[in-house]
Amino acid sequence: YAVFGDPLLQFYTQGQFSRGIGLPHTAFLNTLNEIASTESLFVVLYNYFNIVMSLAFISILALCWKKIPLEYVIYVAFSFIMIFSSGILSSVTRFELMMFPIFAAMSGISEKSRRMSIVIAVIFSVFFFMQLLALANHVNGEIDMVSFYGSLLM
């Protein structure tokens, strides 16, 4: 507000970031439309990653909602509504990092058995690698995936 004089400026500029305000299900539909309309393998993989992570976080909340305090469940539910109301799932993982009750629930799941902790570690290792690819894409521009994988195998 002090710089631009408009406390609602972020709502007016959402269109410049391919975002808008809408019903929560439109984020999934718009992301699926983006997958269908692009020829870039990276964009397709990135959008599938965002969909999978969103569904994973929703699944964890659904499985563990009785084990975490009600105020945390409400916090995460409202966070999901706000995220999904943005119109697209691009960068959804950045927003999901603020949902600390989900991470507490994952800790509880991984404590149940050694196998679950290994499964969670493998999943997050794969996702970490995908985030590194996303960072490289952001810094260097579109990655030629064939050349990238070729350089990894040499």
Side-chain angles (χ1 to χ4, degrees), residues 82-102:
M82 288 175 42
I83 291 168
F84 296 151
S85 295
S86 71
I88 194 164
L89 293 180
S90 181
S91 300
V92 73
T93 53
R94 174 179 54 175
F95 303 118
E96 288 172 342
L97 288 175
M98 297 298 117
M99 296 184 198
F100 64 90
I102 296 290

Side-chain angles (χ1 to χ4, degrees), residues 32-79:
L32 291 173
N33 285 336
E34 186 175 351
I35 289 170
S37 65
T38 188
E39 294 180 13
S40 169
L41 177 62
F42 183 80
V43 172
V44 169
L45 291 175
Y46 178 69
N47 283 313
Y48 276 128
F49 171 73
N50 287 325
I51 290 171
V52 167
M53 286 303 294
S54 297
L55 294 176
F57 271 65
I58 291 170
S59 299
I60 292 169
L61 179 64
L63 290 171
C64 300
W65 71 274
K66 289 183 179 180
K67 298 175 184 157
I68 56 178
L70 179 61
E71 59 270 15
Y72 288 170
V73 173
I74 293 170
Y75 167 76
V76 172
F78 277 117
S79 296

